[in-house]
Amino acid sequence: MTVSAEAYLAVVTETIGRVAAGQRDGVGRAADLIAESLRADGVVHAFGTGHSEALAMEIAGRAGGLVPTNRIALRDLVLYGGEPADVLGPKLEREPAVAHRLYELAPVRPQDVFVLASNSGVNGAMVEFASVVKDRGHALVAITSAAHSARMTSRHPSGRKLADFADVVLDNGAPYGDATLPLPGGGAVGAVSSITAALLAQQLVAEVVARLLAAGERPSVYLSANISGGDEHNAELEARYAGRIRRGA
Protein backbone atom coordinates (compact mmCIF):
# COMPACT_ATOMS: atom_id res chain seq x y z
CA MET A 1 0.00 0.00 0.00
CA THR A 2 1.36 3.40 -0.96
CA VAL A 3 1.55 6.29 1.49
CA SER A 4 -0.49 9.19 0.16
CA ALA A 5 -3.52 11.32 0.89
CA GLU A 6 -5.51 9.24 -1.59
CA ALA A 7 -4.49 5.97 0.06
CA TYR A 8 -5.48 7.32 3.46
CA LEU A 9 -8.83 8.52 2.12
CA ALA A 10 -9.51 5.05 0.74
CA VAL A 11 -8.76 3.44 4.11
CA VAL A 12 -10.84 5.98 6.01
CA THR A 13 -13.76 5.60 3.62
CA GLU A 14 -13.71 1.81 3.97
CA THR A 15 -13.39 2.00 7.74
CA ILE A 16 -16.23 4.50 8.09
CA GLY A 17 -18.52 2.28 6.03
CA ARG A 18 -17.58 -0.79 8.05
CA VAL A 19 -18.11 0.94 11.39
CA ALA A 20 -21.39 2.53 10.34
CA ALA A 21 -22.79 -0.82 9.21
CA GLY A 22 -21.35 -2.97 11.96
CA GLN A 23 -22.24 -0.72 14.88
CA ARG A 24 -25.77 0.24 13.79
CA ASP A 25 -27.49 -1.96 16.38
CA GLY A 26 -25.09 -0.90 19.12
CA VAL A 27 -25.67 2.78 18.39
CA GLY A 28 -29.40 2.17 18.70
CA ARG A 29 -29.04 0.42 22.04
CA ALA A 30 -26.75 3.16 23.33
CA ALA A 31 -29.22 5.81 22.17
CA ASP A 32 -31.97 4.03 24.12
CA LEU A 33 -29.91 4.28 27.31
CA ILE A 34 -29.16 7.96 26.80
CA ALA A 35 -32.72 8.88 25.86
CA GLU A 36 -33.97 7.10 28.97
CA SER A 37 -31.55 9.09 31.11
CA LEU A 38 -32.52 12.41 29.54
CA ARG A 39 -36.22 11.69 30.08
CA ALA A 40 -35.39 11.21 33.76
CA ASP A 41 -33.69 14.64 33.82
CA GLY A 42 -30.28 13.02 33.50
CA VAL A 43 -27.07 14.35 32.04
CA VAL A 44 -24.62 12.60 29.70
CA HIS A 45 -21.07 12.59 31.10
CA ALA A 46 -18.35 12.06 28.49
CA PHE A 47 -14.76 11.16 29.37
CA GLY A 48 -11.71 10.34 27.32
CA THR A 49 -7.96 10.68 27.83
CA GLY A 50 -5.23 11.36 25.31
CA HIS A 51 -6.63 11.63 21.79
CA SER A 52 -9.85 10.05 23.01
CA GLU A 53 -10.62 13.34 24.74
CA ALA A 54 -11.78 14.45 21.29
CA LEU A 55 -14.73 12.07 21.72
CA ALA A 56 -15.80 13.86 24.89
CA MET A 57 -15.67 17.15 23.00
CA GLU A 58 -17.89 15.68 20.27
CA ILE A 59 -20.47 14.68 22.88
CA ALA A 60 -20.38 17.71 25.18
CA GLY A 61 -20.73 21.34 24.21
CA ARG A 62 -20.64 21.57 20.43
CA ALA A 63 -23.02 22.97 17.82
CA GLY A 64 -25.79 20.51 17.00
CA GLY A 65 -25.11 18.54 20.16
CA LEU A 66 -27.18 17.85 23.23
CA VAL A 67 -27.15 20.53 25.93
CA PRO A 68 -27.47 18.21 28.99
CA THR A 69 -23.90 16.95 28.57
CA ASN A 70 -20.84 17.27 30.78
CA ARG A 71 -17.19 16.85 29.77
CA ILE A 72 -14.86 15.17 32.25
CA ALA A 73 -11.09 15.48 31.78
CA LEU A 74 -7.94 14.73 33.72
CA ARG A 75 -7.49 18.52 33.97
CA ASP A 76 -10.47 18.55 36.35
CA LEU A 77 -8.05 17.50 39.07
CA VAL A 78 -6.45 20.94 38.70
CA LEU A 79 -9.41 23.05 37.57
CA TYR A 80 -11.87 21.83 40.21
CA GLY A 81 -9.84 19.70 42.60
CA GLY A 82 -7.09 22.10 43.60
CA GLU A 83 -4.22 19.84 42.54
CA PRO A 84 -1.00 21.49 41.29
CA ALA A 85 -0.63 21.65 37.54
CA ASP A 86 2.41 19.39 37.60
CA VAL A 87 0.17 16.47 38.57
CA LEU A 88 -0.78 16.32 34.90
CA GLY A 89 1.40 14.23 32.65
CA PRO A 90 1.29 11.69 29.83
CA LYS A 91 1.18 8.71 32.21
CA LEU A 92 -1.53 10.03 34.52
CA GLU A 93 -4.10 8.10 32.49
CA ARG A 94 -2.47 4.91 33.73
CA GLU A 95 -3.14 5.68 37.40
CA PRO A 96 -6.32 3.96 38.69
CA ALA A 97 -6.57 6.11 41.83
CA VAL A 98 -7.35 9.32 39.93
CA ALA A 99 -10.66 7.83 38.75
CA HIS A 100 -12.25 8.13 42.17
CA ARG A 101 -11.29 11.78 42.50
CA LEU A 102 -12.59 12.57 39.01
CA TYR A 103 -15.94 11.00 39.81
CA GLU A 104 -16.16 12.90 43.10
CA LEU A 105 -15.43 16.19 41.34
CA ALA A 106 -18.04 15.62 38.63
CA PRO A 107 -21.56 17.01 39.21
CA VAL A 108 -23.17 13.57 38.99
CA ARG A 109 -26.73 12.53 39.83
CA PRO A 110 -28.04 8.95 40.03
CA GLN A 111 -29.99 9.16 36.75
CA ASP A 112 -26.99 10.29 34.71
CA VAL A 113 -25.42 8.19 31.95
CA PHE A 114 -21.75 7.91 30.92
CA VAL A 115 -19.97 7.67 27.55
CA LEU A 116 -16.31 6.67 27.95
CA ALA A 117 -13.78 6.51 25.13
CA SER A 118 -10.43 4.74 25.05
CA ASN A 119 -8.91 3.30 21.89
CA SER A 120 -6.92 0.67 23.80
CA GLY A 121 -9.39 0.31 26.66
CA VAL A 122 -6.65 -0.80 29.05
CA ASN A 123 -5.28 2.23 30.91
CA GLY A 124 -5.78 2.19 34.65
CA ALA A 125 -7.63 5.50 35.08
CA MET A 126 -10.20 4.68 32.42
CA VAL A 127 -10.80 1.11 33.55
CA GLU A 128 -11.14 2.18 37.18
CA PHE A 129 -13.46 5.02 36.19
CA ALA A 130 -15.68 2.53 34.36
CA SER A 131 -15.70 0.35 37.46
CA VAL A 132 -16.73 3.31 39.64
CA VAL A 133 -19.49 4.29 37.20
CA LYS A 134 -21.01 0.81 37.31
CA ASP A 135 -20.59 0.51 41.08
CA ARG A 136 -22.66 3.69 41.37
CA GLY A 137 -25.41 2.21 39.20
CA HIS A 138 -25.05 4.30 36.04
CA ALA A 139 -25.56 3.12 32.48
CA LEU A 140 -22.27 3.04 30.55
CA VAL A 141 -21.49 3.24 26.84
CA ALA A 142 -17.88 2.48 25.83
CA ILE A 143 -16.22 3.46 22.55
CA THR A 144 -13.03 1.50 21.92
CA SER A 145 -11.07 -0.47 19.34
CA ALA A 146 -11.89 -4.15 19.61
CA ALA A 147 -8.85 -5.10 17.53
CA HIS A 148 -6.42 -3.03 19.57
CA SER A 149 -7.87 -3.92 22.96
CA ALA A 150 -7.84 -7.64 22.19
CA ARG A 151 -4.06 -7.57 21.71
CA MET A 152 -3.33 -5.59 24.87
CA THR A 153 -2.77 -6.67 28.46
CA SER A 154 -4.77 -4.56 30.87
CA ARG A 155 -2.83 -1.97 32.87
CA HIS A 156 -5.45 -2.19 35.62
CA PRO A 157 -4.74 -4.39 38.66
CA SER A 158 -7.95 -6.35 38.05
CA GLY A 159 -6.83 -7.37 34.58
CA ARG A 160 -10.12 -6.07 33.19
CA LYS A 161 -10.63 -3.63 30.33
CA LEU A 162 -13.07 -0.81 29.60
CA ALA A 163 -15.33 -3.01 27.48
CA ASP A 164 -15.78 -5.45 30.36
CA PHE A 165 -17.83 -2.89 32.30
CA ALA A 166 -19.97 -1.38 29.55
CA ASP A 167 -23.67 -1.91 28.95
CA VAL A 168 -23.02 -1.17 25.28
CA VAL A 169 -19.64 -1.37 23.50
CA LEU A 170 -19.14 0.51 20.23
CA ASP A 171 -16.14 -0.60 18.16
CA ASN A 172 -14.41 2.31 16.42
CA GLY A 173 -12.90 -0.06 13.87
CA ALA A 174 -9.32 1.13 14.33
CA PRO A 175 -6.56 -1.46 13.84
CA TYR A 176 -3.97 -2.38 16.44
CA GLY A 177 -1.73 0.67 16.74
CA ASP A 178 -4.42 2.92 15.19
CA ALA A 179 -2.34 3.96 12.16
CA THR A 180 -3.28 2.38 8.84
CA LEU A 181 -0.63 2.98 6.15
CA PRO A 182 2.48 0.78 6.65
CA LEU A 183 5.91 2.33 6.22
CA PRO A 184 8.95 0.59 4.74
CA GLY A 185 10.97 -0.87 7.56
CA GLY A 186 8.14 -0.74 10.10
CA GLY A 187 5.68 1.66 11.63
CA ALA A 188 2.67 3.27 9.99
CA VAL A 189 0.90 6.61 9.53
CA GLY A 190 -2.73 7.62 9.15
CA ALA A 191 -4.57 7.02 12.41
CA VAL A 192 -8.35 6.60 12.18
CA SER A 193 -9.74 6.27 15.70
CA SER A 194 -10.54 9.97 16.15
CA ILE A 195 -12.50 10.04 12.89
CA THR A 196 -14.54 6.92 13.57
CA ALA A 197 -15.15 7.86 17.21
CA ALA A 198 -16.50 11.22 16.04
CA LEU A 199 -18.72 9.38 13.57
CA LEU A 200 -20.11 7.17 16.34
CA ALA A 201 -20.62 10.16 18.63
CA GLN A 202 -22.57 12.10 16.03
CA GLN A 203 -24.62 9.05 15.04
CA LEU A 204 -25.39 8.51 18.69
CA VAL A 205 -26.59 12.10 19.14
CA ALA A 206 -28.74 11.84 16.00
CA GLU A 207 -30.38 8.63 17.24
CA VAL A 208 -31.06 10.11 20.69
CA VAL A 209 -32.67 13.17 19.11
CA ALA A 210 -34.71 10.93 16.81
CA ARG A 211 -36.08 9.06 19.81
CA LEU A 212 -36.99 12.25 21.64
CA LEU A 213 -38.70 13.67 18.57
CA ALA A 214 -40.64 10.44 18.04
CA ALA A 215 -41.93 10.74 21.60
CA GLY A 216 -43.14 14.27 20.93
CA GLU A 217 -40.40 15.90 22.98
CA ARG A 218 -38.30 18.91 22.05
CA PRO A 219 -34.60 18.10 22.41
CA SER A 220 -32.31 20.68 23.99
CA VAL A 221 -29.71 21.17 21.27
CA TYR A 222 -26.92 23.71 20.91
CA LEU A 223 -26.72 26.31 18.18
CA SER A 224 -23.30 27.46 17.06
CA ALA A 225 -22.06 30.25 19.29
CA ASN A 226 -20.80 31.91 16.11
CA ILE A 227 -24.20 32.58 14.56
CA SER A 228 -26.64 35.35 15.40
CA GLY A 229 -28.62 34.50 18.54
CA GLY A 230 -26.52 31.44 19.34
CA ASP A 231 -25.22 32.68 22.67
CA GLU A 232 -28.67 33.65 23.90
CA HIS A 233 -30.24 30.37 22.79
CA ASN A 234 -27.53 28.30 24.43
CA ALA A 235 -27.47 30.26 27.67
CA GLU A 236 -31.23 29.81 28.11
CA LEU A 237 -30.97 26.04 27.70
CA GLU A 238 -27.85 25.70 29.83
CA ALA A 239 -29.58 27.53 32.69
CA ARG A 240 -31.86 24.52 33.10
CA TYR A 241 -28.81 22.45 34.05
CA ALA A 242 -26.99 25.00 36.18
CA GLY A 243 -24.24 23.37 38.21
CA ARG A 244 -24.57 20.09 36.36
CA ILE A 245 -22.74 20.69 33.06
CA ARG A 246 -19.18 21.89 32.57
CA ARG A 247 -17.03 22.39 29.51
CA GLY A 248 -13.59 22.62 31.14
CA ALA A 249 -10.72 24.32 29.40
Side-chain angles (χ1 to χ4, degrees), residues 38-165:
L38 296 183
R39 290 193 181 102
D41 192 35
V43 162
V44 183
H45 297 275
F47 177 42
T49 63
H51 282 88
S52 292
E53 189 176 346
L55 180 281
M57 297 176 72
E58 286 292 324
I59 293 289
R62 69 164 301 154
L66 297 165
V67 173
T69 51
N70 178 57
R71 177 156 56 98
I72 296 171
L74 292 173
R75 290 185 301 281
D76 293 354
L77 298 171
V78 176
L79 294 174
Y80 307 112
E83 297 288 341
D86 60 10
V87 73
L88 302 176
K91 293 188 177 181
L92 184 61
E93 66 179 356
R94 299 184 182 182
E95 298 297 329
V98 305
H100 296 268
R101 185 62 175 147
L102 287 172
Y103 183 90
E104 292 169 0
L105 291 170
V108 179
R109 293 188 181 180
Q111 67 270 37
D112 294 348
V113 62
F114 285 76
V115 179
L116 307 185
S118 171
N119 192 58
S120 68
V122 300
N123 282 317
M126 184 60 67
V127 176
E128 184 70 9
F129 196 89
S131 174
V132 171
V133 164
K134 292 311 300 176
D135 284 346
R136 300 300 193 280
H138 302 285
L140 171 58
V141 177
I143 298 180
T144 189
S145 165
H148 189 116
S149 190
R151 291 180 60 178
M152 292 290 291
T153 298
S154 175
R155 290 171 172 155
H156 189 269
S158 70
R160 301 178 73 181
K161 303 177 183 180
L162 171 60
D164 295 330
F165 293 93

Side-chain angles (χ1 to χ4, degrees), residues 56 149 194 209 214 236 240 249:
S149 190
S194 295
V209 169
E236 179 181 353
R240 303 176 188 176

Side-chain angles (χ1 to χ4, degrees), residues 16-17 71 78 84 97 117 131 137 141 151 163 169 171 184 192 207 213 219-220 229:
I16 285 174
R71 177 156 56 98
V78 176
S131 174
V141 177
R151 291 180 60 178
V169 178
D171 180 9
V192 296
E207 286 296 315
L213 290 173
S220 294

